[in-house]
Short mmCIF file of all heavy atoms in Angstrom, two decimals:
data_model
loop_
_atom_site.label_atom_id
_atom_site.label_comp_id
_atom_site.label_asym_id
_atom_site.label_seq_id
_atom_site.Cartn_x
_atom_site.Cartn_y
_atom_site.Cartn_z
N ASN A 11 97.50 105.82 92.19
CA ASN A 11 98.72 105.85 91.39
C ASN A 11 98.64 107.12 90.55
O ASN A 11 97.97 107.15 89.53
CB ASN A 11 98.77 104.58 90.53
CG ASN A 11 99.85 104.61 89.47
OD1 ASN A 11 100.40 105.65 89.13
ND2 ASN A 11 100.12 103.44 88.91
N ILE A 12 99.32 108.17 91.00
CA ILE A 12 99.21 109.45 90.30
C ILE A 12 100.12 109.50 89.07
O ILE A 12 99.99 110.40 88.26
CB ILE A 12 99.45 110.65 91.24
CG1 ILE A 12 100.83 110.60 91.87
CG2 ILE A 12 98.36 110.70 92.31
CD1 ILE A 12 101.19 111.84 92.67
N SER A 13 101.02 108.55 88.93
CA SER A 13 101.84 108.48 87.70
C SER A 13 100.97 108.15 86.50
O SER A 13 101.16 108.69 85.41
CB SER A 13 102.93 107.41 87.83
OG SER A 13 103.88 107.76 88.79
N ASP A 14 100.03 107.23 86.70
CA ASP A 14 99.17 106.77 85.61
C ASP A 14 97.75 107.31 85.72
O ASP A 14 96.93 107.05 84.84
CB ASP A 14 99.13 105.24 85.59
CG ASP A 14 100.50 104.63 85.39
OD1 ASP A 14 101.32 105.23 84.66
OD2 ASP A 14 100.77 103.56 85.97
N GLY A 15 97.44 108.00 86.81
CA GLY A 15 96.10 108.55 87.00
C GLY A 15 95.04 107.50 87.22
O GLY A 15 93.91 107.64 86.75
N VAL A 16 95.40 106.44 87.98
CA VAL A 16 94.46 105.34 88.24
C VAL A 16 94.50 104.94 89.70
O VAL A 16 95.49 105.20 90.40
CB VAL A 16 94.79 104.09 87.36
CG1 VAL A 16 94.65 104.41 85.88
CG2 VAL A 16 96.19 103.56 87.67
N PRO A 17 93.45 104.28 90.19
CA PRO A 17 93.52 103.71 91.54
C PRO A 17 94.61 102.64 91.57
O PRO A 17 94.85 101.95 90.58
CB PRO A 17 92.13 103.07 91.73
CG PRO A 17 91.25 103.74 90.74
CD PRO A 17 92.13 104.09 89.58
N ALA A 18 95.26 102.50 92.71
CA ALA A 18 96.31 101.49 92.88
C ALA A 18 95.69 100.22 93.47
O ALA A 18 95.42 100.15 94.67
CB ALA A 18 97.42 102.02 93.78
N ALA A 19 95.43 99.26 92.62
CA ALA A 19 94.80 98.00 93.03
C ALA A 19 95.86 97.02 93.53
O ALA A 19 97.00 97.04 93.08
CB ALA A 19 94.05 97.38 91.86
N ARG A 20 95.47 96.21 94.48
CA ARG A 20 96.30 95.13 95.03
C ARG A 20 97.55 95.66 95.75
O ARG A 20 98.62 95.06 95.66
CB ARG A 20 96.65 94.11 93.95
CG ARG A 20 95.43 93.34 93.45
CD ARG A 20 95.71 92.42 92.28
NE ARG A 20 96.21 93.12 91.10
CZ ARG A 20 95.49 93.86 90.28
NH1 ARG A 20 94.20 94.03 90.51
NH2 ARG A 20 96.02 94.45 89.23
N VAL A 21 97.40 96.75 96.49
CA VAL A 21 98.47 97.23 97.37
C VAL A 21 98.23 96.62 98.74
O VAL A 21 97.18 96.82 99.35
CB VAL A 21 98.50 98.77 97.48
CG1 VAL A 21 99.54 99.22 98.50
CG2 VAL A 21 98.74 99.41 96.12
N SER A 22 99.20 95.85 99.23
CA SER A 22 99.10 95.28 100.58
C SER A 22 99.33 96.38 101.59
O SER A 22 100.16 97.28 101.38
CB SER A 22 100.15 94.17 100.77
OG SER A 22 99.89 93.10 99.90
N LEU A 23 98.60 96.29 102.70
CA LEU A 23 98.79 97.28 103.76
C LEU A 23 98.50 96.65 105.11
O LEU A 23 97.91 95.57 105.19
CB LEU A 23 97.90 98.51 103.52
CG LEU A 23 96.39 98.30 103.39
CD1 LEU A 23 95.72 98.45 104.74
CD2 LEU A 23 95.83 99.32 102.43
N SER A 24 98.96 97.31 106.14
CA SER A 24 98.71 96.84 107.50
C SER A 24 98.41 98.03 108.40
O SER A 24 98.90 99.13 108.19
CB SER A 24 99.92 96.05 108.04
OG SER A 24 101.10 96.81 107.96
N LEU A 25 97.56 97.77 109.40
CA LEU A 25 97.17 98.77 110.39
C LEU A 25 97.74 98.37 111.73
O LEU A 25 97.61 97.21 112.14
CB LEU A 25 95.65 98.89 110.46
CG LEU A 25 95.10 99.83 111.54
CD1 LEU A 25 95.51 101.28 111.26
CD2 LEU A 25 93.58 99.71 111.63
N HIS A 26 98.36 99.32 112.42
CA HIS A 26 99.00 99.08 113.71
C HIS A 26 98.56 100.15 114.71
O HIS A 26 98.26 101.27 114.32
CB HIS A 26 100.53 99.16 113.57
CG HIS A 26 101.07 98.33 112.46
ND1 HIS A 26 101.72 97.14 112.67
CD2 HIS A 26 101.07 98.50 111.12
CE1 HIS A 26 102.09 96.63 111.52
NE2 HIS A 26 101.70 97.44 110.56
N ARG A 27 98.58 99.79 116.00
CA ARG A 27 98.34 100.77 117.07
C ARG A 27 99.53 100.70 118.03
O ARG A 27 100.01 99.62 118.36
CB ARG A 27 97.05 100.50 117.82
CG ARG A 27 96.75 101.55 118.89
CD ARG A 27 95.37 101.47 119.55
NE ARG A 27 94.93 100.13 119.81
CZ ARG A 27 93.76 99.63 119.40
NH1 ARG A 27 92.92 100.35 118.71
NH2 ARG A 27 93.42 98.40 119.70
N LEU A 28 99.98 101.85 118.50
CA LEU A 28 101.11 101.91 119.42
C LEU A 28 100.66 101.58 120.83
O LEU A 28 99.70 102.16 121.35
CB LEU A 28 101.73 103.31 119.40
CG LEU A 28 102.99 103.49 120.25
CD1 LEU A 28 104.14 102.66 119.70
CD2 LEU A 28 103.37 104.96 120.32
N ASP A 29 101.34 100.63 121.45
CA ASP A 29 101.15 100.36 122.88
C ASP A 29 101.92 101.45 123.62
O ASP A 29 103.16 101.47 123.59
CB ASP A 29 101.69 98.97 123.23
CG ASP A 29 101.49 98.61 124.69
OD1 ASP A 29 101.79 99.46 125.56
OD2 ASP A 29 101.06 97.49 124.97
N SER A 30 101.20 102.37 124.24
CA SER A 30 101.84 103.54 124.84
C SER A 30 102.74 103.22 126.02
O SER A 30 103.66 103.97 126.32
CB SER A 30 100.79 104.57 125.25
OG SER A 30 99.89 104.01 126.18
N GLN A 31 102.52 102.08 126.67
CA GLN A 31 103.38 101.72 127.80
C GLN A 31 104.64 101.00 127.33
O GLN A 31 105.73 101.29 127.78
CB GLN A 31 102.62 100.87 128.79
CG GLN A 31 101.54 101.65 129.50
CD GLN A 31 100.87 100.87 130.60
OE1 GLN A 31 101.05 99.67 130.73
NE2 GLN A 31 100.10 101.57 131.41
N LEU A 32 104.50 100.05 126.41
CA LEU A 32 105.64 99.28 125.93
C LEU A 32 106.39 99.96 124.78
O LEU A 32 107.50 99.58 124.44
CB LEU A 32 105.20 97.89 125.47
CG LEU A 32 104.61 96.98 126.54
CD1 LEU A 32 104.14 95.68 125.92
CD2 LEU A 32 105.62 96.72 127.64
N LYS A 33 105.74 100.98 124.18
CA LYS A 33 106.31 101.70 123.02
C LYS A 33 106.58 100.75 121.86
O LYS A 33 107.59 100.86 121.16
CB LYS A 33 107.59 102.46 123.41
CG LYS A 33 107.41 103.45 124.53
CD LYS A 33 106.46 104.54 124.13
CE LYS A 33 106.35 105.57 125.24
NZ LYS A 33 105.09 106.25 125.27
N LEU A 34 105.65 99.80 121.66
CA LEU A 34 105.74 98.83 120.57
C LEU A 34 104.49 98.93 119.72
O LEU A 34 103.39 99.16 120.23
CB LEU A 34 105.86 97.40 121.10
CG LEU A 34 107.11 97.07 121.90
CD1 LEU A 34 106.98 95.68 122.50
CD2 LEU A 34 108.33 97.14 121.01
N TRP A 35 104.65 98.72 118.41
CA TRP A 35 103.52 98.70 117.50
C TRP A 35 102.88 97.33 117.50
O TRP A 35 103.56 96.32 117.32
CB TRP A 35 103.95 99.04 116.07
CG TRP A 35 104.36 100.47 115.90
CD1 TRP A 35 105.63 100.95 115.78
CD2 TRP A 35 103.50 101.61 115.82
NE1 TRP A 35 105.61 102.31 115.64
CE2 TRP A 35 104.32 102.74 115.66
CE3 TRP A 35 102.12 101.77 115.88
CZ2 TRP A 35 103.79 104.03 115.53
CZ3 TRP A 35 101.60 103.05 115.76
CH2 TRP A 35 102.43 104.17 115.59
N ASN A 36 101.56 97.27 117.68
CA ASN A 36 100.79 96.03 117.60
C ASN A 36 99.98 96.02 116.31
O ASN A 36 99.23 96.96 116.05
CB ASN A 36 99.83 95.90 118.79
CG ASN A 36 100.57 95.76 120.10
OD1 ASN A 36 101.49 94.97 120.22
ND2 ASN A 36 100.19 96.56 121.08
N MET A 37 100.17 94.97 115.51
CA MET A 37 99.41 94.88 114.27
C MET A 37 97.96 94.55 114.58
O MET A 37 97.67 93.62 115.34
CB MET A 37 99.99 93.82 113.33
CG MET A 37 99.31 93.86 111.98
SD MET A 37 99.84 92.58 110.82
CE MET A 37 101.58 92.67 110.91
N LEU A 38 97.05 95.32 113.98
CA LEU A 38 95.62 95.12 114.18
C LEU A 38 94.96 94.41 113.01
O LEU A 38 93.99 93.68 113.19
CB LEU A 38 94.92 96.46 114.40
CG LEU A 38 95.42 97.31 115.56
CD1 LEU A 38 94.69 98.64 115.58
CD2 LEU A 38 95.25 96.57 116.87
N ASN A 39 95.47 94.67 111.79
CA ASN A 39 94.81 94.13 110.62
C ASN A 39 95.74 94.17 109.41
O ASN A 39 96.64 95.01 109.34
CB ASN A 39 93.55 94.94 110.30
CG ASN A 39 92.52 94.16 109.52
OD1 ASN A 39 92.79 93.09 109.01
ND2 ASN A 39 91.32 94.72 109.44
N LEU A 40 95.49 93.25 108.49
CA LEU A 40 96.16 93.22 107.19
C LEU A 40 95.08 93.40 106.14
O LEU A 40 93.95 92.95 106.31
CB LEU A 40 96.85 91.88 106.96
CG LEU A 40 98.03 91.54 107.87
CD1 LEU A 40 98.44 90.10 107.67
CD2 LEU A 40 99.19 92.47 107.56
N GLY A 41 95.43 94.02 105.04
CA GLY A 41 94.46 94.20 103.98
C GLY A 41 95.14 94.39 102.64
O GLY A 41 96.37 94.43 102.54
N MET A 42 94.31 94.52 101.62
CA MET A 42 94.79 94.78 100.26
C MET A 42 93.75 95.66 99.57
O MET A 42 92.55 95.45 99.74
CB MET A 42 94.98 93.47 99.50
CG MET A 42 95.52 93.67 98.10
SD MET A 42 95.92 92.11 97.29
CE MET A 42 97.42 91.69 98.15
N THR A 43 94.24 96.61 98.80
CA THR A 43 93.30 97.49 98.11
C THR A 43 92.57 96.74 97.00
O THR A 43 93.12 95.83 96.39
CB THR A 43 94.02 98.72 97.51
OG1 THR A 43 95.03 98.28 96.60
CG2 THR A 43 94.63 99.58 98.60
N ASP A 44 91.33 97.15 96.77
CA ASP A 44 90.53 96.55 95.72
C ASP A 44 90.81 97.27 94.39
O ASP A 44 91.73 98.09 94.30
CB ASP A 44 89.04 96.59 96.10
CG ASP A 44 88.50 98.00 96.32
OD1 ASP A 44 89.13 98.99 95.88
OD2 ASP A 44 87.43 98.12 96.94
N GLU A 45 90.03 96.98 93.38
CA GLU A 45 90.25 97.57 92.05
C GLU A 45 90.07 99.08 92.04
O GLU A 45 90.57 99.76 91.14
CB GLU A 45 89.31 96.92 91.03
CG GLU A 45 89.62 95.45 90.77
CD GLU A 45 91.03 95.22 90.26
OE1 GLU A 45 91.48 95.94 89.34
OE2 GLU A 45 91.71 94.33 90.80
N ASP A 46 89.38 99.62 93.05
CA ASP A 46 89.19 101.05 93.15
C ASP A 46 90.21 101.72 94.08
O ASP A 46 90.10 102.88 94.41
CB ASP A 46 87.75 101.34 93.64
CG ASP A 46 87.32 102.77 93.39
OD1 ASP A 46 87.71 103.35 92.35
OD2 ASP A 46 86.61 103.33 94.24
N GLY A 47 91.20 100.92 94.53
CA GLY A 47 92.25 101.46 95.41
C GLY A 47 91.83 101.59 96.86
O GLY A 47 92.55 102.18 97.67
N ARG A 48 90.68 101.02 97.22
CA ARG A 48 90.17 101.13 98.59
C ARG A 48 90.38 99.83 99.35
O ARG A 48 90.45 98.76 98.76
CB ARG A 48 88.68 101.48 98.57
CG ARG A 48 88.38 102.80 97.89
CD ARG A 48 86.89 103.09 97.84
NE ARG A 48 86.58 104.23 97.01
CZ ARG A 48 86.64 105.50 97.40
NH1 ARG A 48 86.99 105.78 98.64
NH2 ARG A 48 86.36 106.49 96.56
N CYS A 49 90.42 99.97 100.67
CA CYS A 49 90.56 98.80 101.55
C CYS A 49 89.52 98.92 102.65
O CYS A 49 89.77 99.51 103.71
CB CYS A 49 91.96 98.73 102.13
SG CYS A 49 92.26 97.24 103.09
N PRO A 50 88.33 98.39 102.41
CA PRO A 50 87.25 98.53 103.40
C PRO A 50 87.47 97.63 104.61
O PRO A 50 88.21 96.65 104.56
CB PRO A 50 86.00 98.11 102.62
CG PRO A 50 86.51 97.18 101.57
CD PRO A 50 87.88 97.67 101.22
N GLY A 51 86.81 97.98 105.71
CA GLY A 51 86.81 97.12 106.89
C GLY A 51 88.11 97.06 107.66
O GLY A 51 88.44 96.03 108.24
#
């Protein structure tokens, strides 16, 4: 969060991979950032 100069905690996010034949996004994972703004694993 560059407005406040802090890590952005508790931001939900998702990771997707494109199926190159179907041209559709497949969700691989859901996550949320920790107190340091990171989402491990």
Side-chain angles (χ1 to χ4, degrees):
N11 169 344
I12 60 173
S13 293
D14 300 325
V16 297
R20 294 174 299 285
V21 175
S22 296
L23 57 92
S24 55
L25 175 64
H26 309 255
R27 183 172 39 234
L28 184 66
D29 181 313
S30 59
Q31 292 187 348
L32 297 176
K33 303 297 183 208
L34 296 173
W35 290 104
N36 294 312
M37 187 184 312
L38 302 176
N39 205 348
L40 294 170
M42 182 173 285
T43 59
D44 60 17
E45 293 301 313
D46 197 36
R48 299 178 189 277
C49 185

